[in-house]
Coordinates of all heavy atoms in Angstrom, one line a residue:
M11 N -74.2 256.4 222.6 CA -73.6 256.2 221.3 C -74.7 255.5 220.4 O -75.4 254.6 220.9 CB -72.3 255.4 221.4 CG -71.7 255.2 220.0 SD -70.1 254.4 220.2 CE -69.9 254.0 218.4
F12 N -74.6 255.8 219.1 CA -75.6 255.2 218.2 C -74.8 254.3 217.2 O -73.7 254.6 216.8 CB -76.4 256.2 217.5 CG -77.3 256.9 218.5 CD1 -77.0 258.1 219.0 CD2 -78.6 256.4 218.8 CE1 -77.8 258.8 220.0 CE2 -79.4 257.1 219.7 CZ -79.0 258.2 220.3
C13 N -75.5 253.3 216.7 CA -74.9 252.4 215.8 C -74.6 253.1 214.4 O -75.5 253.7 213.9 CB -75.8 251.2 215.5 SG -75.2 250.0 214.3
P14 N -73.4 253.0 214.0 CA -73.0 253.6 212.7 C -73.7 253.0 211.5 O -73.8 253.6 210.4 CB -71.5 253.5 212.6 CG -71.2 252.3 213.4 CD -72.2 252.3 214.5
K15 N -74.2 251.8 211.7 CA -74.8 251.0 210.6 C -76.3 251.4 210.4 O -76.8 251.7 209.3 CB -74.7 249.5 210.8 CG -73.3 249.0 210.6 CD -73.3 247.5 210.7 CE -72.0 246.9 210.5 NZ -72.0 245.4 210.6
D16 N -77.1 251.4 211.5 CA -78.5 251.7 211.4 C -79.0 252.8 212.3 O -80.2 253.0 212.3 CB -79.3 250.4 211.6 CG -78.8 249.7 212.9 OD1 -78.6 250.3 213.9 OD2 -78.7 248.4 212.9
G17 N -78.1 253.4 213.1 CA -78.5 254.5 214.0 C -79.3 254.1 215.2 O -79.8 255.0 215.9
A18 N -79.4 252.8 215.5 CA -80.1 252.4 216.7 C -79.2 252.6 218.0 O -78.0 252.7 217.9 CB -80.4 250.9 216.6
L19 N -79.8 252.8 219.1 CA -79.1 253.1 220.4 C -78.4 251.8 220.8 O -78.9 250.7 220.8 CB -80.1 253.4 221.5 CG -79.5 253.8 222.8 CD1 -78.7 255.1 222.7 CD2 -80.5 254.0 223.9
M20 N -77.1 252.0 221.1 CA -76.2 250.9 221.5 C -76.2 250.8 223.1 O -76.2 251.8 223.8 CB -74.8 251.1 221.0 CG -74.9 251.1 219.5 SD -73.2 251.3 218.7 CE -72.5 249.7 218.9
V21 N -76.2 249.6 223.6 CA -76.2 249.3 225.0 C -74.9 248.7 225.5 O -74.3 248.0 224.8 CB -77.4 248.4 225.4 CG1 -78.7 249.1 225.1 CG2 -77.3 247.1 224.7
P22 N -74.5 249.1 226.7 CA -73.2 248.6 227.3 C -73.3 247.1 227.6 O -74.4 246.6 228.1 CB -72.9 249.4 228.5 CG -74.3 250.0 228.9 CD -75.1 250.1 227.7
K23 N -72.2 246.4 227.4 CA -72.2 244.9 227.7 C -70.8 244.5 228.1 O -69.9 245.0 227.5 CB -72.7 244.2 226.4 CG -72.8 242.7 226.6 CD -73.1 242.1 225.2 CE -73.0 240.6 225.2 NZ -73.2 240.0 223.9
K24 N -70.7 243.7 229.1 CA -69.4 243.2 229.6 C -68.9 242.1 228.6 O -69.6 241.1 228.3 CB -69.5 242.6 231.0 CG -69.7 243.7 232.0 CD -68.4 244.4 232.4 CE -68.6 245.4 233.4 NZ -67.4 246.2 233.7
K25 N -67.7 242.3 228.2 CA -67.1 241.3 227.3 C -65.6 241.1 227.6 O -64.9 242.1 227.5 CB -67.3 241.7 225.8 CG -67.0 240.5 224.9 CD -67.0 241.0 223.4 CE -66.6 239.9 222.5 NZ -66.5 240.4 221.1
D26 N -65.1 240.0 228.0 CA -63.7 239.7 228.4 C -63.3 240.7 229.4 O -62.1 241.3 229.4 CB -62.8 239.8 227.2 CG -63.3 238.7 226.1 OD1 -63.7 237.6 226.6 OD2 -63.1 239.0 224.9
G27 N -64.1 241.1 230.4 CA -63.7 242.0 231.4 C -63.8 243.5 231.0 O -63.6 244.4 231.8
K28 N -64.1 243.7 229.8 CA -64.2 245.1 229.3 C -65.6 245.4 228.9 O -66.4 244.5 228.6 CB -63.3 245.3 228.1 CG -61.8 245.3 228.4 CD -61.1 245.5 227.1 CE -59.6 245.5 227.3 NZ -58.8 245.6 226.1
T29 N -66.0 246.7 229.0 CA -67.3 247.1 228.6 C -67.3 247.5 227.1 O -66.5 248.3 226.7 CB -67.8 248.2 229.4 OG1 -67.7 247.9 230.8 CG2 -69.3 248.5 229.1
V30 N -68.2 246.9 226.3 CA -68.3 247.3 224.9 C -69.8 247.7 224.7 O -70.7 247.4 225.5 CB -68.0 246.1 224.0 CG1 -66.5 245.7 224.1 CG2 -68.9 244.9 224.2
L31 N -70.0 248.5 223.7 CA -71.3 248.9 223.3 C -71.8 248.0 222.2 O -71.1 247.7 221.2 CB -71.3 250.4 222.8 CG -71.1 251.4 223.9 CD1 -70.9 252.8 223.3 CD2 -72.2 251.4 224.9
V32 N -73.0 247.5 222.4 CA -73.6 246.5 221.4 C -74.9 247.1 220.9 O -75.8 247.5 221.6 CB -73.8 245.1 222.1 CG1 -74.4 244.2 221.1 CG2 -72.6 244.6 222.7
C33 N -75.1 247.0 219.6 CA -76.3 247.4 218.9 C -77.3 246.3 219.1 O -77.0 245.2 218.7 CB -76.1 247.7 217.5 SG -77.6 248.1 216.6
K34 N -78.5 246.6 219.7 CA -79.5 245.6 219.9 C -80.1 245.2 218.6 O -80.7 244.1 218.5 CB -80.6 246.1 220.8 CG -80.1 246.2 222.3 CD -81.1 246.8 223.2 CE -81.9 245.7 223.9 NZ -82.8 246.3 224.9
K35 N -80.0 246.0 217.6 CA -80.7 245.8 216.3 C -79.9 244.8 215.4 O -80.4 243.8 214.9 CB -80.9 247.1 215.6 CG -82.1 247.1 214.7 CD -82.4 248.5 214.3 CE -83.5 248.6 213.2 NZ -83.8 249.9 212.8
C36 N -78.6 245.1 215.2 CA -77.8 244.3 214.3 C -76.6 243.6 215.0 O -76.0 242.8 214.3 CB -77.3 245.2 213.2 SG -76.0 246.4 213.6
G37 N -76.4 243.9 216.3 CA -75.3 243.2 216.9 C -73.9 243.8 216.8 O -72.9 243.3 217.2
Y38 N -73.8 245.0 216.2 CA -72.6 245.7 216.0 C -71.9 246.0 217.3 O -72.6 246.5 218.2 CB -72.8 246.9 215.1 CG -71.6 247.8 214.9 CD1 -70.6 247.5 213.9 CD2 -71.3 248.8 215.8 CE1 -69.5 248.3 213.7 CE2 -70.2 249.6 215.6 CZ -69.3 249.3 214.6 OH -68.2 250.1 214.4
E39 N -70.6 245.8 217.5 CA -70.0 246.1 218.7 C -68.9 247.2 218.6 O -68.2 247.2 217.5 CB -69.3 244.8 219.3 CG -70.3 243.8 219.8 CD -69.5 242.6 220.4 OE1 -68.3 242.6 220.6 OE2 -70.2 241.6 220.7
A40 N -68.8 248.0 219.6 CA -67.8 249.1 219.6 C -67.3 249.3 221.0 O -68.0 249.1 221.9 CB -68.5 250.4 219.1
P41 N -66.0 249.5 221.1 CA -65.4 249.7 222.4 C -65.9 251.0 223.0 O -66.2 252.0 222.3 CB -63.9 249.8 222.1 CG -63.8 250.2 220.7 CD -65.0 249.7 220.0
V42 N -65.9 251.1 224.4 CA -66.4 252.3 225.0 C -65.2 253.2 225.2 O -64.2 252.9 225.8 CB -67.0 251.9 226.4 CG1 -67.4 253.2 227.1 CG2 -68.1 251.0 226.3
S43 N -65.3 254.4 224.6 CA -64.2 255.3 224.7 C -64.3 256.2 225.9 O -63.4 256.6 226.5 CB -64.1 256.1 223.4 OG -65.4 256.7 223.1
D44 N -65.6 256.6 226.3 CA -65.8 257.4 227.4 C -67.0 256.9 228.2 O -68.1 257.3 227.9 CB -66.0 258.9 226.9 CG -66.0 259.9 228.0 OD1 -66.1 259.4 229.2 OD2 -65.8 261.1 227.8
E45 N -66.7 256.1 229.1 CA -67.8 255.5 229.9 C -68.7 256.5 230.7 O -69.9 256.3 230.8 CB -67.3 254.4 230.8 CG -68.2 253.2 231.0 CD -67.6 252.1 231.8 OE1 -66.4 251.9 231.7 OE2 -68.3 251.4 232.5
K46 N -68.0 257.4 231.3 CA -68.7 258.4 232.1 C -69.7 259.2 231.2 O -70.8 259.4 231.7 CB -67.7 259.4 232.6 CG -67.0 258.9 233.9 CD -66.1 260.0 234.5 CE -65.4 259.5 235.7 NZ -64.4 260.4 236.2
K47 N -69.3 259.5 230.1 CA -70.2 260.3 229.2 C -71.4 259.4 228.8 O -72.5 259.9 228.8 CB -69.4 260.6 227.9 CG -70.0 261.8 227.2 CD -69.1 262.2 226.0 CE -69.6 263.3 225.2 NZ -68.7 263.7 224.1
Y48 N -71.2 258.2 228.6 CA -72.3 257.3 228.3 C -73.3 257.2 229.4 O -74.5 257.2 229.3 CB -71.8 255.9 227.8 CG -73.0 255.0 227.4 CD1 -73.5 255.2 226.1 CD2 -73.5 254.1 228.3 CE1 -74.6 254.4 225.8 CE2 -74.6 253.3 227.9 CZ -75.1 253.5 226.6 OH -76.2 252.7 226.2
K49 N -72.8 257.0 230.6 CA -73.6 256.9 231.8 C -74.5 258.1 232.0 O -75.6 258.0 232.4 CB -72.7 256.7 233.1 CG -72.3 255.2 233.2 CD -71.4 255.1 234.4 CE -71.0 253.6 234.6 NZ -69.9 253.5 235.6
L50 N -74.0 259.2 231.7 CA -74.8 260.5 231.8 C -76.0 260.4 230.8 O -77.1 260.8 231.2 CB -73.9 261.7 231.4 CG -73.9 262.8 232.4 CD1 -72.8 263.8 232.0 CD2 -75.2 263.6 232.3
V51 N -75.8 259.9 229.7 CA -76.8 259.8 228.7 C -77.9 258.8 229.1 O -79.1 259.1 229.0 CB -76.3 259.3 227.3 CG1 -77.4 259.1 226.3 CG2 -75.3 260.4 226.8
V52 N -77.6 257.6 229.7 CA -78.6 256.7 230.0 C -79.4 257.0 231.3 O -80.4 256.5 231.6 CB -78.0 255.2 230.2 CG1 -77.5 254.7 228.9 CG2 -76.9 255.2 231.3
K53 N -78.9 258.0 232.0 CA -79.6 258.5 233.2 C -80.9 259.2 232.9 O -81.8 259.1 233.7 CB -78.7 259.5 234.0 CG -77.9 258.8 235.1 CD -77.2 259.8 235.9 CE -76.3 259.1 237.0 NZ -75.4 260.1 237.6
I54 N -81.0 259.8 231.8 CA -82.2 260.6 231.4 C -83.5 259.8 231.3 O -84.4 260.1 232.0 CB -81.9 261.4 230.1 CG1 -80.7 262.4 230.4 CG2 -83.1 262.2 229.7 CD1 -80.1 262.9 229.1
P55 N -83.5 258.7 230.5 CA -84.7 257.9 230.4 C -85.1 257.3 231.8 O -86.3 257.1 232.1 CB -84.5 256.8 229.4 CG -83.0 256.8 229.2 CD -82.5 258.2 229.6
H56 N -84.1 257.0 232.6 CA -84.4 256.4 233.9 C -85.1 257.3 234.8 O -86.1 257.0 235.5 CB -83.1 255.9 234.5 CG -83.2 255.2 235.8 ND1 -83.6 253.8 235.8 CD2 -83.1 255.5 237.1 CE1 -83.7 253.4 237.0 NE2 -83.4 254.4 237.9
T57 N -84.7 258.6 234.8 CA -85.3 259.6 235.6 C -86.7 259.9 235.2 O -87.6 260.0 236.0 CB -84.5 260.9 235.5 OG1 -83.2 260.7 235.8 CG2 -85.0 262.0 236.5
T58 N -86.9 259.9 233.9 CA -88.3 260.1 233.3 C -89.2 259.0 233.7 O -90.4 259.3 234.1 CB -88.2 260.2 231.8 OG1 -87.2 261.1 231.4 CG2 -89.5 260.6 231.2
K59 N -88.7 257.8 233.8 CA -89.6 256.7 234.1 C -90.0 256.8 235.6 O -91.1 256.5 235.9 CB -88.7 255.4 233.9 CG -89.6 254.1 233.8 CD -88.7 252.9 233.7 CE -89.5 251.6 233.9 NZ -88.6 250.5 234.0
D60 N -89.0 257.1 236.5 CA -89.3 257.3 237.9 C -90.4 258.4 238.1 O -91.3 258.2 238.9 CB -88.0 257.7 238.6 CG -87.1 256.5 238.8 OD1 -87.5 255.4 238.5 OD2 -85.9 256.7 239.1
K61 N -90.2 259.5 237.4 CA -91.1 260.6 237.5 C -92.5 260.2 237.1 O -93.5 260.5 237.8 CB -90.6 261.7 236.5 CG -90.9 263.1 237.0 CD -90.0 264.0 236.3 CE -90.6 265.3 236.0 NZ -89.7 266.1 235.1
T62 N -92.6 259.4 236.0 CA -93.9 259.0 235.5 C -94.6 258.1 236.6 O -95.7 258.2 236.8 CB -93.8 258.2 234.2 OG1 -93.0 259.0 233.3 CG2 -95.1 257.9 233.6
A63 N -93.8 257.2 237.2 CA -94.3 256.3 238.2 C -94.9 257.0 239.4 O -95.9 256.7 239.9 CB -93.2 255.3 238.6
V64 N -94.2 258.1 239.8 CA -94.6 258.9 240.9 C -95.9 259.6 240.6 O -96.8 259.6 241.4 CB -93.5 259.9 241.3 CG1 -94.0 260.9 242.3 CG2 -92.3 259.2 241.9
V65 N -96.0 260.1 239.4 CA -97.2 260.9 239.0 C -98.4 259.9 239.0 O -99.4 260.2 239.5 CB -97.0 261.5 237.6 CG1 -98.3 262.1 237.1 CG2 -96.0 262.7 237.7
E66 N -98.2 258.7 238.4 CA -99.3 257.8 238.4 C -99.8 257.3 239.7 O -100.9 257.2 240.0 CB -98.8 256.5 237.6 CG -98.8 256.8 236.1 CD -98.4 255.6 235.3 OE1 -97.6 254.8 235.8 OE2 -98.9 255.5 234.1
K67 N -98.8 257.2 240.7 CA -99.2 256.8 242.0 C -100.0 257.9 242.7 O -101.0 257.6 243.4 CB -97.9 256.5 242.8 CG -98.1 255.7 244.1 CD -96.7 255.5 244.7 CE -96.9 254.8 246.1 NZ -95.6 254.7 246.8
E68 N -99.5 259.1 242.5 CA -100.2 260.3 243.1 C -101.7 260.4 242.6 O -102.6 260.6 243.3 CB -99.5 261.6 242.9 CG -98.2 261.7 243.8 CD -97.4 262.9 243.4 OE1 -97.8 263.6 242.5 OE2 -96.4 263.1 244.0
L69 N -101.8 260.2 241.3 CA -103.1 260.3 240.7 C -104.0 259.2 241.1 O -105.2 259.4 241.4 CB -103.0 260.2 239.1 CG -102.4 261.5 238.5 CD1 -102.1 261.3 237.0 CD2 -103.3 262.7 238.7
A70 N -103.5 258.0 241.3 CA -104.3 256.9 241.8 C -104.8 257.2 243.2 O -106.0 256.8 243.5 CB -103.4 255.6 241.8
L71 N -104.1 257.9 244.0 CA -104.5 258.2 245.3 C -105.6 259.3 245.3 O -106.5 259.3 246.1 CB -103.3 258.7 246.2 CG -102.3 257.6 246.6 CD1 -101.1 258.2 247.2 CD2 -102.9 256.6 247.6
S72 N -105.4 260.3 244.4 CA -106.3 261.5 244.4 C -107.6 261.2 243.8 O -108.6 261.9 244.1 CB -105.6 262.6 243.7 OG -104.3 262.8 244.3
F73 N -107.6 260.3 242.8 CA -108.9 260.2 242.0 C -109.4 258.8 242.0 O -109.9 258.3 241.0 CB -108.6 260.6 240.6 CG -108.2 262.1 240.5 CD1 -106.9 262.5 240.4 CD2 -109.2 263.1 240.5 CE1 -106.5 263.8 240.3 CE2 -108.9 264.4 240.4 CZ -107.5 264.8 240.4
K74 N -109.4 258.2 243.1 CA -109.9 256.8 243.2 C -111.3 256.7 242.9 O -111.8 255.7 242.3 CB -109.7 256.3 244.7 CG -108.6 255.3 244.8 CD -108.4 254.8 246.2 CE -107.2 253.9 246.4 NZ -106.8 253.7 247.8
Q75 N -112.1 257.7 243.2 CA -113.6 257.6 243.1 C -114.0 257.9 241.6 O -115.1 257.6 241.2 CB -114.3 258.5 244.1 CG -114.1 260.0 243.9 CD -112.8 260.5 244.6 OE1 -111.7 260.0 244.3 NE2 -112.9 261.4 245.5
D76 N -113.2 258.6 240.9 CA -113.6 259.0 239.5 C -112.6 258.5 238.5 O -111.7 259.1 238.1 CB -113.7 260.6 239.4 CG -114.5 261.0 238.2 OD1 -114.5 260.2 237.2 OD2 -115.1 262.1 238.3
E77 N -112.9 257.3 238.1 CA -112.1 256.6 237.1 C -111.8 257.3 235.8 O -110.7 257.4 235.3 CB -112.7 255.2 236.8 CG -111.7 254.2 236.3 CD -110.8 253.7 237.3 OE1 -111.1 253.6 238.5 OE2 -109.6 253.3 237.0
E78 N -112.9 257.9 235.3 CA -112.8 258.6 234.0 C -112.0 259.8 234.1 O -111.1 260.1 233.2 CB -114.3 259.0 233.6 CG -114.4 259.0 232.1 CD -115.9 259.2 231.7 OE1 -116.7 258.2 231.9 OE2 -116.3 260.2 231.2
E79 N -112.1 260.6 235.1 CA -111.4 261.8 235.3 C -109.9 261.5 235.5 O -109.0 262.2 235.0 CB -111.9 262.6 236.5 CG -111.4 264.0 236.6 CD -111.9 264.8 237.8 OE1 -112.8 264.3 238.4 OE2 -111.4 265.9 238.1
R80 N -109.6 260.5 236.3 CA -108.3 260.0 236.5 C -107.6 259.7 235.2 O -106.4 260.1 235.0 CB -108.3 258.8 237.5 CG -106.9 258.5 238.0 CD -106.9 257.2 238.8 NE -106.9 256.0 238.0 CZ -107.0 254.8 238.4 NH1 -107.1 254.6 239.7 NH2 -106.9 253.8 237.6
E81 N -108.3 258.9 234.4 CA -107.7 258.5 233.1 C -107.3 259.7 232.3 O -106.3 259.8 231.7 CB -108.6 257.6 232.4 CG -108.0 256.9 231.2 CD -106.8 256.1 231.6 OE1 -106.8 255.4 232.6 OE2 -105.8 256.1 230.8
E82 N -108.2 260.7 232.2 CA -108.0 261.9 231.4 C -106.8 262.7 231.9 O -106.0 263.1 231.2 CB -109.3 262.7 231.5 CG -109.2 264.1 230.8 CD -108.9 264.0 229.3 OE1 -109.2 262.9 228.7 OE2 -108.4 265.0 228.7
L83 N -106.8 262.8 233.2 CA -105.7 263.6 233.8 C -104.3 262.9 233.7 O -103.3 263.5 233.4 CB -106.0 263.8 235.3 CG -105.1 264.9 236.0 CD1 -105.5 266.3 235.4 CD2 -105.4 264.9 237.5
R84 N -104.3 261.6 233.8 CA -103.1 260.8 233.6 C -102.6 260.9 232.2 O -101.4 261.1 232.0 CB -103.4 259.3 233.9 CG -102.2 258.4 234.0 CD -102.6 257.0 234.4 NE -103.1 256.3 233.2 CZ -102.4 255.6 232.4 NH1 -101.2 255.4 232.5 NH2 -103.0 255.0 231.3
R85 N -103.5 260.9 231.3 CA -103.1 261.1 229.9 C -102.5 262.5 229.6 O -101.4 262.6 229.0 CB -104.3 260.9 229.0 CG -104.0 260.6 227.5 CD -105.3 260.1 226.8 NE -106.4 261.1 226.9 CZ -106.5 262.2 226.2 NH1 -105.6 262.5 225.3 NH2 -107.5 263.0 226.3
Q86 N -103.1 263.5 230.2 CA -102.6 264.8 230.1 C -101.2 265.0 230.7 O -100.3 265.6 230.2 CB -103.5 265.8 230.7 CG -104.7 266.1 229.9 CD -105.7 267.0 230.6 OE1 -105.5 267.5 231.7 NE2 -106.9 267.1 230.0
M87 N -101.0 264.3 231.9 CA -99.8 264.4 232.6 C -98.7 263.7 231.8 O -97.6 264.2 231.7 CB -99.9 263.7 234.0 CG -100.5 264.5 235.0 SD -99.5 265.9 235.4 CE -99.7 266.0 237.2
L88 N -99.0 262.6 231.2 CA -98.0 261.8 230.4 C -97.6 262.6 229.2 O -96.4 262.7 228.8 CB -98.5 260.5 230.0 CG -98.7 259.5 231.2 CD1 -99.3 258.2 230.7 CD2 -97.3 259.2 231.8
E89 N -98.5 263.3 228.6 CA -98.2 264.2 227.4 C -97.3 265.3 227.9 O -96.4 265.7 227.2 CB -99.5 264.8 226.8 CG -100.2 263.8 226.0 CD -101.6 264.2 225.6 OE1 -102.0 265.4 225.8 OE2 -102.4 263.4 225.0
F90 N -97.6 265.9 229.0 CA -96.8 266.9 229.6 C -95.3 266.4 229.8 O -94.4 267.1 229.5 CB -97.4 267.4 230.9 CG -96.5 268.4 231.7 CD1 -96.3 269.7 231.2 CD2 -95.8 268.0 232.8 CE1 -95.5 270.5 231.9 CE2 -95.0 268.8 233.5 CZ -94.8 270.1 233.1
L91 N -95.2 265.3 230.4 CA -93.9 264.7 230.7 C -93.1 264.5 229.4 O -91.9 264.7 229.3 CB -94.0 263.4 231.5 CG -94.5 263.5 232.9 CD1 -94.7 262.2 233.5 CD2 -93.4 264.3 233.7
V92 N -93.8 264.0 228.4 CA -93.1 263.8 227.1 C -92.6 265.1 226.5 O -91.5 265.1 226.1 CB -94.1 263.0 226.1 CG1 -93.5 263.0 224.7 CG2 -94.4 261.6 226.6
E93 N -93.4 266.1 226.6 CA -93.0 267.4 226.0 C -91.8 268.0 226.8 O -91.0 268.6 226.2 CB -94.2 268.4 226.1 CG -95.2 268.1 225.0 CD -96.5 269.0 225.1 OE1 -96.4 269.9 225.9 OE2 -97.5 268.6 224.6
E94 N -91.9 267.7 228.1 CA -90.8 268.3 228.9 C -89.4 267.6 228.6 O -88.4 268.1 228.8 CB -91.2 268.0 230.4 CG -90.3 268.9 231.3 CD -90.7 268.6 232.8 OE1 -90.8 267.4 233.1 OE2 -90.8 269.5 233.6
G95 N -89.5 266.4 228.1 CA -88.3 265.7 227.7 C -87.8 264.8 228.8 O -86.7 264.5 228.8
Ligands
LIG281 ZN1 -76.9 248.4 214.4

């Protein structure tokens, strides 16, 4: 969910035993109407981060001897991951 005031991404936060969505930018709070749906949305950036970490690890192992080439390939890989979404 996005903040109706400024369009920033809202993050879940526990308040009085309930989960509410809070805007990190302006502090606007909204009740969570569909928690499952929200969880599905936050999974996407997490997966992308894991994927990037794996790629960087693999590249570090494969191109230890050629720093310049490794950096170039890493950059290309990250661009690819961004495009893929
Ligand atoms: Zn806001």
Side-chain angles (χ1 to χ4, degrees):
M11 183 176 169
F12 294 93
C13 177
K15 288 184 179 181
D16 49 42
L19 183 66
M20 298 178 78
V21 294
K23 183 185 171 185
K24 288 279 180 187
K25 192 187 177 187
D26 301 329
K28 289 178 180 177
T29 306
V30 294
L31 289 171
V32 182
C33 175
K34 289 177 96 174
K35 207 169 174 181
C36 72
Y38 176 86
E39 286 183 11
V42 180
S43 53
D44 192 343
E45 212 172 330
K46 278 184 182 174
K47 203 172 179 181
Y48 183 77
K49 276 178 182 170
L50 231 169
V51 174
V52 295
K53 265 183 185 175
I54 299 163
H56 188 76
T57 307
T58 308
K59 198 182 167 189
D60 286 348
K61 212 161 145 187
T62 309
V64 170
V65 170
E66 283 182 329
K67 198 178 172 186
E68 283 174 1
L69 287 173
L71 290 170
S72 308
F73 297 98
K74 252 180 189 170
Q75 67 275 60
D76 198 332
E77 199 74 30
E78 212 170 287
E79 193 181 349
R80 190 185 79 182
E81 190 57 42
E82 174 65 20
L83 196 64
R84 192 176 73 93
R85 201 167 53 81
Q86 285 175 8
M87 278 296 218
L88 290 177
E89 280 170 10
F90 171 74
L91 287 173
V92 170
E93 281 171 19
E94 196 184 40

